[in-house]
Amino acid sequence: MRNPFGRAEPDPRPRAEPDSGSRTEPELEPGPGPHGGRRAAGLLRSLLAVVLGALPALAFPVPGLWWWAYVALVPWLLLVRTAPGARRAALDGWCGGIGFLLAVHHWLLPSVHVFLLVMAVLLGLLWLPWGVLVRALLGGVPTPARAAAALCAVPSGWLMIELVRSWEGLGGPWGLLGASQWEVPAALRLASVGGVWLVSLLVAAVNTALVVLIAAPGLRAVGAAGLAACALVVGTAAWGVGAPRPSGTVRVAMVQPGVHGGTDGAERRFERAEELTRGLAGQRLDLVVWGESGVARDPAADPALTARLTALARTVDAPLLVNVDARRADRPGIYKSALLFAPDGPTGDRYDKMRLVPFGEYVPARGLFGWATSVGKAAEEDRRRGTAPVVMQVPDGRLPDGERPLTVGPLVCFESAFPDMSRRLARDGADVIAVQSATSTFQQSWAPAQHASLAALRAAETGRPVVHATLTGISAAYGPDGRRVGPSVGTDASTAVVRELPLSESTTGYARWGDWPVYGAFVVIGAVCAAAGAGAFRRTGAGRPGRRARTARG
């Protein structure tokens, strides 16, 4: 209490002495309490982030809602920007990344089981810094400088995530945001300039501009300018970047034997492919392509098998590109190899698959993760890797000008997801890129359609026709502009089809300059970090906290 002069006087009321032995605590009211309520709210927010992070998966085949990609990140971005602190923003980014990876790779569940969740949790960590970046630039009431920086930095941060997880050991570049645009002609022209990376950058930029429009009404001019810039880029690519100039055609057959399971499935599949190939006789073919693992023994160790394949090439009067999944005769280990057989025998060209599917063809750190073989369909024995790409000369196959022989660059299955591999083949002189694939394990899932769609991007990036031949579908062929030639062959078909594909000797921007959008994203992120360190994006009203006031009781 205070006297009239403002000085504190002792309280005249008697003060109870503490009793350490007989003190009775007051009875608490029932309820979760403030800490329990915050934990529940945080858990719900994390679950919401998982759901919102999964939304972009609808833009990929099979749903194939390509337009959805341009708004799919908006709910997730709006959630992250409202995080009360950087730690919560990082957690929102992590949880959203988990949801994205689970949704895009859900078809792996029958094969890897619980390890899919482990993979999503670990790779989801890549979105931690992205969440912090989103909140730093878009949180609160953004200044014009922060909003403008967000239009460049948020898409660049997303591209950095795609780059890191594109490493083969982390699963490879499956589900890149730009890959959802494989059917959009303008996006294919954009890919010819900067690869799938440039398309991902554009899609993420549109989402970011929409968030600026929604979350910062006072900065709608900045958001509108961002959308206008994206539209200008797309328009320039669509009308300013021409399709590769045709330089003749090539007739390629794709042989899809269909599903044949059981202990003798490999032999029955071979016999069916052999039967279908014989039916192509007389069709003036330049090349016949079989799917992945179409041959279960190494012909180099089996003269009868070599003679059988040679006779088949002679029957159709065209070279036969087969894929062998077997132990090599000249070295230890199992390889997946593309071999070319001419009507007069094997050409001697051989390509061994270089990039293997984690867990499907080898187990990373088998000593640590070998238990995955007991809970899923992980590889019991690691496949061996090839050492270099190979461009094969097709015997008796000549370009229309007759000056040099036709060449083919083989890729095996998973390798068609890597933009750099097809770019290397095009630069090494491949006229046609042949992808030999098998998605039999995931027949009733989104995987076959997603895999076949990747060939469209590889064609647009390189300016070379791409043939995607599979054992069980989906098989498809694409011209050098990335557009599909003829209908695709579904997973329920057992057939052989012929496609007359345009050839082109044009060099695309991506083939010439490579992954320049990735390097640009590095520069943007570095510049934003430097500006943030200099205080350029300090939030309005943020000041140094004053000393806590002391009360009389305190």
Side-chain angles (χ1 to χ4, degrees):
M1 53 185 301
R2 290 184 173 272
N3 63 19
F5 300 100
R7 298 180 61 185
E9 296 286 3
D11 192 338
R13 291 173 294 180
R15 184 173 298 174
E17 294 295 328
D19 183 357
S20 60
S22 60
R23 183 175 179 180
T24 303
E25 293 292 335
E27 188 173 336
L28 297 176
E29 294 292 330
H35 295 293
R38 283 197 295 271
R39 281 195 294 269
L43 178 59
L44 289 175
R45 184 183 178 103
S46 296
L47 292 175
L48 178 60
V50 171
V51 173
L52 298 182
L55 293 179
L58 298 176
F60 297 92
V62 168
L65 306 177
W66 64 267
W67 53 268
W68 175 248
Y70 294 92
V71 297
L73 296 180
V74 170
W76 185 9
L77 288 167
L78 290 174
L79 177 72
V80 175
R81 70 171 293 273
T82 62
R87 182 178 299 178
R88 180 67 245 187
L91 186 57
D92 290 342
W94 183 23
C95 292
I98 293 172
F100 177 81
L101 293 170
L102 288 175
V104 171
H105 297 90
H106 72 275
W107 45 271
L108 284 171
L109 192 60
S111 293
V112 299
H113 294 282
V114 68
F115 203 84
L116 178 61
L117 179 59
V118 176
M119 179 271 292
V121 169
L122 293 177
L123 291 184
L125 293 170
L126 295 173
W127 277 269
L128 280 171
W130 186 74
V132 176
L133 176 69
V134 170
R135 180 186 177 274
L137 296 179
L138 293 174
V141 181
T143 63
R146 282 202 289 135
L151 292 176
C152 298
V154 171
S156 296
W158 182 276
L159 198 61
M160 293 297 96
I161 297 170
E162 291 197 338
L163 176 66
V164 173
R165 71 182 184 88
S166 293
W167 179 48
E168 174 198 348
L170 294 180
W174 196 280
L176 302 185
L177 200 58
S180 64
Q181 306 302 297
W182 68 281
E183 288 183 295
V184 182
L188 293 174
R189 298 276 53 76
L190 203 63
S192 72
V193 177
V196 68
W197 311 113
L198 186 56
V199 184
S200 285
L201 203 63
L202 175 82
V203 173
V206 171
N207 280 270
T208 306
L210 290 175
V211 170
V212 173
L213 283 174
I214 295 170
L219 298 176
R220 284 178 177 161
V222 178
L227 290 177
C230 291
L232 180 61
V233 171
V234 173
T236 301
W239 289 286
V241 179
R245 295 185 303 276
S247 59
T249 60
V250 61
R251 288 175 60 82
V252 180
M254 298 178 290
V255 177
Q256 180 177 304
V259 179
H260 294 282
T263 56
D264 61 342
E267 184 60 31
R268 291 193 296 119
R269 188 165 55 234
F270 180 89
E271 291 174 354
R272 178 57 178 160
E274 192 176 31
E275 177 187 359
L276 292 170
T277 303
R278 286 198 193 97
L280 296 169
Q283 298 201 35
R284 296 183 300 103
L285 299 173
D286 295 298
L287 181 66
V288 179
V289 183
W290 283 17
E292 180 187 14
S293 305
V295 181
R297 301 187 307 277
D298 188 356
D302 191 337
L305 178 59
T306 298
R308 196 172 171 182
L309 291 169
T310 300
L312 199 57
R314 191 179 304 119
T315 298
V316 295
D317 193 27
L320 176 63
L321 184 67
V322 301
N323 189 271
V324 178
D325 185 2
R327 297 187 183 278
R328 285 193 59 162
D330 56 346
R331 63 186 64 176
I334 302 175
Y335 289 80
K336 287 193 174 182
S337 308
L339 279 72
L340 189 63
F341 285 81
D344 57 355
T347 64
D349 287 327
R350 180 175 191 139
Y351 168 68
D352 295 322
K353 186 176 183 180
M354 298 171 60
R355 296 184 181 171
L356 305 178
V357 180
F359 297 97
E361 294 170 336
Y362 79 105
V363 176
R366 186 175 285 273
L368 181 63
F369 297 120
W371 56 269
T373 59
S374 62
V375 297
K377 299 178 182 178
E380 295 291 342
E381 179 183 348
D382 292 348
R383 298 296 196 273
R384 303 296 181 90
R385 301 173 188 273
T387 57
V390 175
V391 174
M392 303 176 179
Q393 289 191 0
V394 178
D396 300 325
R398 303 196 68 82
L399 295 177
D401 58 14
E403 294 182 358
R404 63 179 180 85
L406 179 71
T407 55
V408 58
L411 294 173
V412 183
C413 197
F414 178 60
E415 294 179 327
S416 70
F418 293 87
D420 65 300
M421 296 199 72
S422 53
R423 175 176 178 257
R424 169 70 182 273
L425 290 173
R427 290 178 64 87
D428 287 350
D431 299 307
V432 179
I433 296 173
V435 181
Q436 298 176 297
S437 175
T439 50
S440 308
T441 307
F442 313 106
Q443 200 69 359
Q444 304 303 322
S445 71
W446 294 2
Q450 287 186 17
H451 198 183
S453 70
L454 297 176
L457 290 159
R458 304 294 85 88
E461 290 167 344
T462 60
R464 299 293 180 266
V466 176
V467 176
H468 182 85
T470 72
L471 287 180
T472 58
I474 295 174
S475 298
Y478 302 88
D481 59 355
R483 300 195 186 194
R484 190 171 60 207
V485 177
S488 59
V489 182
T491 55
D492 57 347
S494 175
T495 185
V497 296
V498 178
R499 298 287 180 260
E500 187 162 344
L501 303 176
L503 292 170
S504 177
E505 296 182 355
S506 300
T507 302
T508 64
Y510 178 70
R512 182 179 292 112
W513 301 312
D515 302 328
W516 63 267
V518 174
Y519 307 138
F522 270 119
V523 172
V524 169
I525 294 297
V528 168
C529 289
F537 304 131
R538 189 173 291 121
R539 297 191 181 193
T540 304
R544 184 178 177 180
R547 293 183 60 188
R548 184 178 177 182
R550 292 186 63 188
T551 63
R553 184 179 293 273

